[in-house]
Amino acid sequence: MPRRTHHHHAGDFALPTAQRSYAPDLPLEPDHLDIFLHPDLDAHTASVQVQLTTISRTPGASVLTLDGVDFLDLTVTDPDENALSWSYDGDKIKIHWADGADVDEKRRVTLTYRVDDPINGLFFGGPDASEPDRGRYLVTDHETERARYWLACVDHPSARVTLDIRIRAPKDMEIVATGGLLGSEDHDDGTRTAHWRSEARCPSYLICLIVGEFVRCEDGDFDGKPLAYFALPPLTEADLKRSFGPTGKMLAFLTRKLGSPLPWAKYYQFAAPGIGGAMENISLVSWDQGWVMDARLHRERGDILDLVNLHEMAHTWFGDLLVIRDFAHAWLKESWATYLESVWLEETAGQDEMHYQLHLERDAYRQEADNTYVRPIVTRKYDSSWQMFDRHLYPGGAIRLHLLRTILGDGVFWDGVRDYVRDFANKTVETDDFRKALESRSGRYLARFFDQWLYSPGYPHLKASLKHDDGVMTLSVEQTQANSKKNIGLFSFPLTIAVEGADGAWSRHTIRCEARHHALRLPSDKKPLQVIVDPDGVVPHKLTFEPGQKMLKRILTAGPTVHARLYAAGTLVKSGRKSAILAVQEAFKAEPFWGVRVEMARALGGSNTAAACGALQALIPTEEEPRVQGALMMAAQQFRDPDLAKTVAAWLQAGDRPYRATGEALVAL
């Protein structure tokens, strides 16, 4: 699923009372779910019948516990007439067979019940005052453990079942569910039963279905498997095609990159109110309807939409085909889906786009780690599974994957990833499975990397200083993050230093950082023009390095990478010096990459100086990139200045401005 915003107070990640969480024991392992759903879209109720087939993994297994919240008129029977008893407390359904099952024996149980407008998991909707033309609908949204609010199941990723889903609804409505369509049957009362089947094993949180008056947009096929998109009126087919049109191209990219075909019978996507983000349900991805964009919004935010599309699609492999054993290992799906956003940009838009995306990931992770809490990426100690889905999990894990890729090299890394996807397809996975796949391909023992970067909290804080005398340039680097109370130690990593000599020639050097202090010494008759720490932004770190205004200004305009120019701009503006801010203003006008201009605008917004206010006033009228316009307007919100207000108002009055930038401008005024 996409990134969600979580709000925590500064301090520890979990409460002191939090217990370590593990996958449940499954002596009677769920094997197949046969679901029949008959909803009443006007009354917001549904009749449900579920037949669950289990396989005994333990001699004499006789007890099955299912999740199910607030079911009405529940009955539980064994269709094979094995004697059983059961109890229900409104949360758990406990079933006990009189005789235990033999190993590999199948046991079936049928549960019949009703649900009345469930508080979660299954959502009804239709026309309202804001959208009187909206169609009636029913949709599901289950992550992390919300299927239980309408579906009797073992509501945990480790329980994976094949599916038959039968849904009876008015025949003029769309009826879509996980898997492939086997057929449908019309009834005399104007309803139709559609039968969907999934041979792929599916955990409860990835089961999905929709019923309703949806607009349908067919988009051909990918490798013979249909692509289609759905949304509710007044959204149109054109809106759907504009929003999700790159889907086929993305599928081609991922199947090639991962060496694995699309494993599902279809790739459908739908949008509905209240989803909140997007979710990677097997073969039926869900979106909040706010993601379906008109042409004006798409010009400004279409790039973000594409990244979310790619993110959810990446879960086809990382999360859906390879299912996490338990939530401690959620990074194996969310960090991977996040990192593949950057890999997609690398292939389709170039290195600058990838490096800027990774910069945003690093910044988002550091904000949480520095200001809220710091935790290991892999941890069993949490208060709820939902809590795991934070900035450590998404960008924090993604930037670690990029570091690992850089250390191993592209060939070894991607071959190891393909081995992992192939060998664990249709299985559950833990972090050690991924580590061992890379070790087998690379011949390297990666336990130290995983212990430091995945199983331990924190990240490197680097303090660098530059000295030049007696014909030697010395760059000293110190790790300052060690904190025994937080269990944060020193990290081991390669740190690249790029140097532009006085003659304009570039060289690159690597420091193997392991101890607290390291130094790079190079013969140099004259002081270098540029010294750039981690020029490609590979290492997840925070850097304190002030090489002097002269060098920073050169890096600002002549730095060879996005990361270098971003660091120079931020450091110059932070100095508060008028000359430094004017240098950033001039560099902004010549900067070719939009992402660097966005970060320059953000830095100016945080400067709280008259020079920064004047810079914004000069830059706003000339910027034409919608994403940068939004950043400039957000920066303008930090100042109370009548001349800047006039500039913002004049910009607005020009008309046909992007939605988001317009909103930020209004806030600024």
Side-chain angles (χ1 to χ4, degrees), residues 461-467 474-480 495 497 511 518 531-534 541-548 567:
H461 296 200
L462 304 181
K463 184 177 180 180
S465 60
L466 184 65
K467 184 171 66 172
T474 302
L475 179 74
S476 300
V477 179
E478 178 186 4
Q479 293 194 57
T480 66
L495 183 65
I497 311 298
I511 300 174
H518 293 275
V531 177
I532 302 169
V533 178
D534 193 24
H541 73 284
K542 177 164 59 178
L543 176 65
T544 301
F545 179 42
E546 226 302 2
Y567 187 80

Side-chain angles (χ1 to χ4, degrees), residues 96-109:
H96 188 280
W97 277 272
D99 298 319
D102 297 329
V103 173
D104 293 333
E105 179 185 345
K106 292 189 175 183
R107 287 283 174 94
R108 296 191 299 166
V109 62

Side-chain angles (χ1 to χ4, degrees), residues 197-412:
R197 173 173 291 170
S198 174
E199 301 289 352
R201 292 199 171 273
C202 183
S204 56
Y205 83 95
L206 294 174
I207 298 171
C208 187
L209 59 89
I210 65 171
V211 177
E213 296 166 329
F214 285 91
V215 173
R216 182 184 187 116
C217 174
E218 301 281 357
D219 195 19
D221 67 88
F222 176 78
D223 285 351
K225 298 175 179 181
L227 308 179
Y229 322 123
F230 303 83
L232 295 159
L235 295 170
T236 67
E237 287 187 53
D239 294 329
L240 286 164
K241 186 63 187 294
R242 178 187 306 109
S243 300
F244 302 127
T247 295
K249 181 180 178 182
M250 292 175 177
L251 283 167
F253 161 73
L254 285 172
T255 53
R256 183 184 73 255
K257 195 73 178 177
L258 302 176
S260 175
L262 176 64
W264 319 136
K266 66 180 188 302
Y267 196 85
Y268 284 5
Q269 304 184 77
F270 75 89
I275 299 297
M279 178 61 203
E280 67 268 15
N281 317 293
I282 286 179
S283 78
L284 183 58
V285 174
S286 58
W287 295 74
D288 189 273
Q289 73 171 10
W291 283 107
V292 183
M293 298 182 180
D294 65 15
R296 183 177 170 188
L297 182 58
H298 194 266
R299 287 194 300 271
E300 186 180 22
R301 302 288 285 171
D303 61 327
I304 304 298
L305 170 62
D306 287 348
L307 290 184
V308 178
N309 195 351
L310 192 283
H311 180 109
E312 303 309 328
M313 190 182 296
H315 280 308
T316 294
W317 293 271
F318 299 103
D320 296 5
L321 187 64
L322 285 70
V323 178
I324 56 171
R325 176 68 170 160
D326 58 51
F327 292 105
H329 304 283
W331 85 284
L332 290 174
K333 70 188 197 76
E334 295 302 347
S335 301
W336 255 113
T338 303
Y339 181 51
L340 281 168
E341 297 174 32
S342 295
V343 178
W344 161 257
L345 289 173
E346 177 184 26
E347 173 145 325
T348 60
Q351 290 285 316
D352 283 357
E353 292 280 357
M354 179 189 73
H355 286 165
Y356 180 54
Q357 181 67 17
L358 288 169
H359 163 80
L360 295 176
E361 307 291 5
R362 282 190 301 274
D363 189 57
Y365 163 69
R366 287 192 306 240
Q367 285 183 26
E368 185 171 82
D370 292 348
N371 302 318
T372 310
Y373 54 76
V374 61
R375 70 168 179 89
I377 304 301
V378 180
T379 179
R380 295 191 177 280
K381 196 168 184 179
Y382 49 83
D383 300 308
S384 72
S385 57
W386 189 252
Q387 185 185 8
M388 287 290 289
F389 291 77
D390 60 3
R391 290 183 178 184
H392 281 66
L393 190 69
Y394 290 80
I399 57 180
R400 285 160 168 80
L401 283 169
H402 187 64
L403 174 62
L404 182 58
R405 170 188 166 186
T406 304
I407 290 171
L408 294 179
D410 273 13
V412 168

